Amino acid sequence: MESSLPSTQILDSGESAERKNEAKNYNEMMSTLPKAKGLRGNDYYLYQGFWYSSFFLEGLMSVQEHFNPQSTDIFVASSPKTGTTWLKALAFAVLTRSRLSGSTTSSLLIKMPHDCVPFLEFQVAQNPRIRDLAVPLLSTHVPYSCLPKSIISSSCKIIYICRDAKDTFVSLWCFFSAHQMSKNVEPLPLEEAFEMFCNGISILGPYWDHVLGYWRASLEFPEKILFLTYEEMKKDTAAHAKKLAEFMDCSFTLEEEEEGEVQKIISMCSFEKLSRLEVNKNGKLHLDTSIAIQNSLYFRKGEIGDWANHLTPEMGARIDDIMEQKLKGSGLKLPR
Ligand code: PAP
């Protein structure tokens, strides 16, 4: 059976006062950083080479200062909209499968993947006790070079996913536009957001630097960092589920394979299955205590190449050219 540890615990008043004080210091520090307009019309701040929203940056500064991983922790890392939700579901299902034998209830059926595998810089930064220590899985959108030193110097493993830049941009824009519209706020025009993305200004951008940071680290520490792409994972999900299991030191046994365990996990984590669950249709995610995001926004189409329905061929070619130029000499070629 899965752990019944409470998923949330309230901070005591001392901790809460300390957090408020820290937030004040972080806000003072933010006021000194270069700024740009973000996709939600909010400010983005340039910190250690990447663009962050204030809420994100506050969380990052806090974990850079305080977070200590367990040596067995495994992080699902990604730039936003590159397949995080899917990878979290797969990694969680693969890692917790032995606890589920005999049970038909996976947390994934009743909790959004982001609530099964909490974000370091959001949920964990706000309340370190939120995590279920029995499941050594956390996630992060933080670029490799900005990760807390305690993670870099640990034996923790990292599974990184990235995606074609055009689909990533379109997914980002659709997500923020839908979120804005749900609050009756006019979204940023696509052309404006596109221009920003091409100039490296997007949440956690420049996108290419995010990808390159993890790519280079995966070449240097292949036993610690597994580098995946959304497109390859779509092409052969079974091979990826097995690769994930092997990397997390919980390979599928022959018996499990013969019993169709891999296929069961793939089906449970599929876009079709997850997007139709009540929790993902009507539930809400609270990454920020003041903002609730509809879970359904994390399940839009789940297709490769949808960019062509939103961008002109010229816009597509521009992103491809930028990516080619930026990735040149790195040995990385992203699938399109
Ligand atoms: P996040 O970084 O904000 O958590 P993330 O999960 O990385 O978002 O990206 C969402 C994309 O993954 C969406 O792509 P789209 O906009 O092109 O449709 C979403 O549809 C897709 N997605 C979510 N769940 C799955 C899944 N189970 N299988 C495949 N794609 C999925």
Side-chain angles (χ1 to χ4, degrees), residues 75-79 82 87 158-162 207 210-212 214-215 225-229:
F75 289 84
V76 168
S78 61
S79 186
T82 57
L87 180 58
I158 300 175
I159 307 165
Y160 184 73
I161 188 161
C162 66
Y207 178 63
H210 200 291
V211 174
L212 278 172
Y214 280 95
W215 169 249
I225 302 169
L226 179 65
F227 189 95
L228 307 175
T229 70

Coordinates of all heavy atoms in Angstrom, one line a residue, residues 75-79 82 87 158-162 207 210-212 214-215 225-229:
F75 N 15.3 13.6 -8.8 CA 14.6 14.8 -9.3 C 14.1 14.7 -10.7 O 14.9 14.3 -11.6 CB 15.5 16.0 -9.2 CG 15.7 16.4 -7.8 CD1 16.7 15.8 -7.0 CD2 14.9 17.4 -7.1 CE1 17.0 16.2 -5.7 CE2 15.2 17.8 -5.8 CZ 16.2 17.1 -5.1
V76 N 12.9 15.0 -11.0 CA 12.4 15.1 -12.3 C 12.6 16.6 -12.7 O 12.0 17.5 -12.1 CB 10.9 14.8 -12.4 CG1 10.3 15.2 -13.8 CG2 10.7 13.3 -12.2
A77 N 13.4 16.9 -13.7 CA 13.8 18.3 -14.0 C 13.3 18.6 -15.4 O 13.4 17.7 -16.3 CB 15.3 18.5 -13.8
S78 N 12.9 19.8 -15.6 CA 12.5 20.2 -17.0 C 12.3 21.7 -17.1 O 12.2 22.4 -16.0 CB 11.1 19.6 -17.2 OG 10.2 20.1 -16.3
S79 N 12.3 22.2 -18.3 CA 11.9 23.6 -18.5 C 10.3 23.4 -18.6 O 9.9 22.4 -19.1 CB 12.5 24.1 -19.8 OG 12.2 25.5 -20.0
T82 N 7.5 20.9 -21.3 CA 8.3 20.0 -22.1 C 7.9 18.5 -21.8 O 8.6 17.7 -22.4 CB 9.8 20.2 -21.8 OG1 10.0 20.0 -20.4 CG2 10.2 21.6 -22.3
L87 N 6.1 12.9 -17.4 CA 7.3 12.2 -16.9 C 7.1 12.0 -15.4 O 7.5 10.9 -14.8 CB 8.6 13.1 -17.1 CG 9.9 12.5 -16.6 CD1 10.2 11.1 -17.1 CD2 11.0 13.5 -16.9
I158 N 19.0 12.7 -11.4 CA 18.1 13.7 -12.0 C 17.7 13.1 -13.3 O 18.5 12.6 -14.1 CB 18.9 15.0 -12.3 CG1 19.4 15.6 -11.0 CG2 18.0 16.0 -13.0 CD1 20.3 16.9 -11.1
I159 N 16.4 13.2 -13.6 CA 15.8 12.8 -14.9 C 15.3 14.1 -15.6 O 14.4 14.7 -15.1 CB 14.7 11.8 -14.7 CG1 15.1 10.6 -13.9 CG2 14.2 11.3 -16.1 CD1 13.9 9.8 -13.4
Y160 N 16.0 14.4 -16.7 CA 15.6 15.7 -17.4 C 14.9 15.4 -18.7 O 15.2 14.4 -19.4 CB 16.9 16.4 -17.7 CG 16.6 17.8 -18.4 CD1 16.2 18.9 -17.6 CD2 16.9 18.0 -19.7 CE1 15.9 20.1 -18.2 CE2 16.6 19.3 -20.3 CZ 16.1 20.3 -19.5 OH 15.9 21.5 -20.1
I161 N 13.8 16.2 -18.9 CA 13.1 16.0 -20.2 C 13.1 17.4 -20.9 O 12.9 18.4 -20.3 CB 11.7 15.5 -20.0 CG1 11.0 15.1 -21.3 CG2 10.8 16.4 -19.2 CD1 9.9 14.2 -21.3
C162 N 13.2 17.3 -22.2 CA 13.1 18.5 -23.0 C 12.3 18.2 -24.3 O 11.9 17.0 -24.5 CB 14.4 19.2 -23.4 SG 15.4 18.2 -24.4
Y207 N 15.4 29.3 -23.3 CA 15.1 27.9 -23.3 C 16.3 27.0 -23.6 O 16.6 26.0 -23.0 CB 13.9 27.6 -24.3 CG 13.6 26.2 -24.5 CD1 13.1 25.5 -23.4 CD2 13.8 25.5 -25.7 CE1 12.8 24.1 -23.5 CE2 13.5 24.1 -25.8 CZ 13.0 23.5 -24.7 OH 12.7 22.1 -24.8
H210 N 18.6 26.5 -20.8 CA 18.1 25.5 -19.8 C 18.5 24.1 -20.3 O 19.0 23.2 -19.6 CB 16.6 25.6 -19.7 CG 16.0 25.1 -18.5 ND1 15.9 23.7 -18.3 CD2 15.4 25.7 -17.4 CE1 15.3 23.5 -17.1 NE2 15.0 24.7 -16.5
V211 N 18.2 23.8 -21.6 CA 18.4 22.5 -22.2 C 19.9 22.2 -22.1 O 20.3 21.1 -21.7 CB 17.9 22.4 -23.6 CG1 18.3 21.1 -24.3 CG2 16.4 22.6 -23.7
L212 N 20.7 23.2 -22.6 CA 22.2 22.9 -22.7 C 22.8 22.6 -21.3 O 23.7 21.8 -21.2 CB 22.9 24.1 -23.3 CG 22.8 24.1 -24.8 CD1 23.3 25.4 -25.4 CD2 23.6 23.0 -25.4
Y214 N 21.5 21.1 -18.7 CA 21.3 19.7 -18.3 C 22.0 18.7 -19.3 O 22.5 17.6 -18.9 CB 19.8 19.4 -18.2 CG 19.3 19.8 -16.9 CD1 18.6 21.1 -16.8 CD2 19.4 19.1 -15.7 CE1 18.1 21.5 -15.6 CE2 18.8 19.5 -14.5 CZ 18.2 20.7 -14.4 OH 17.7 21.2 -13.2
W215 N 22.1 19.1 -20.6 CA 22.7 18.2 -21.6 C 24.2 18.1 -21.2 O 24.7 16.9 -21.1 CB 22.5 18.9 -23.0 CG 23.4 18.2 -24.0 CD1 24.4 18.7 -24.7 CD2 23.2 16.9 -24.5 NE1 25.0 17.8 -25.5 CE2 24.2 16.7 -25.5 CE3 22.3 15.8 -24.2 CZ2 24.4 15.4 -26.1 CZ3 22.5 14.6 -24.9 CH2 23.5 14.4 -25.9
I225 N 22.6 11.8 -14.3 CA 21.6 12.5 -15.0 C 21.2 11.8 -16.3 O 22.0 11.5 -17.2 CB 22.2 13.9 -15.4 CG1 22.6 14.6 -14.1 CG2 21.1 14.7 -16.2 CD1 23.3 15.9 -14.3
L226 N 19.9 11.5 -16.4 CA 19.3 10.9 -17.5 C 18.6 11.9 -18.4 O 17.7 12.6 -17.9 CB 18.3 9.8 -17.0 CG 17.5 9.0 -18.1 CD1 18.5 8.2 -18.9 CD2 16.5 8.1 -17.5
F227 N 19.0 12.1 -19.6 CA 18.5 13.1 -20.5 C 17.5 12.5 -21.5 O 17.9 11.7 -22.3 CB 19.7 13.8 -21.2 CG 19.4 15.0 -22.0 CD1 19.6 16.3 -21.4 CD2 18.9 15.0 -23.3 CE1 19.3 17.4 -22.1 CE2 18.6 16.1 -24.0 CZ 18.8 17.3 -23.4
L228 N 16.3 13.0 -21.4 CA 15.2 12.4 -22.3 C 14.6 13.5 -23.2 O 14.6 14.7 -22.8 CB 14.1 11.8 -21.5 CG 14.5 10.8 -20.4 CD1 13.3 10.3 -19.6 CD2 15.2 9.5 -21.1
T229 N 13.9 13.1 -24.2 CA 13.1 14.1 -25.0 C 11.6 13.6 -25.0 O 11.4 12.4 -25.0 CB 13.6 14.3 -26.4 OG1 13.4 13.2 -27.2 CG2 15.1 14.7 -26.4

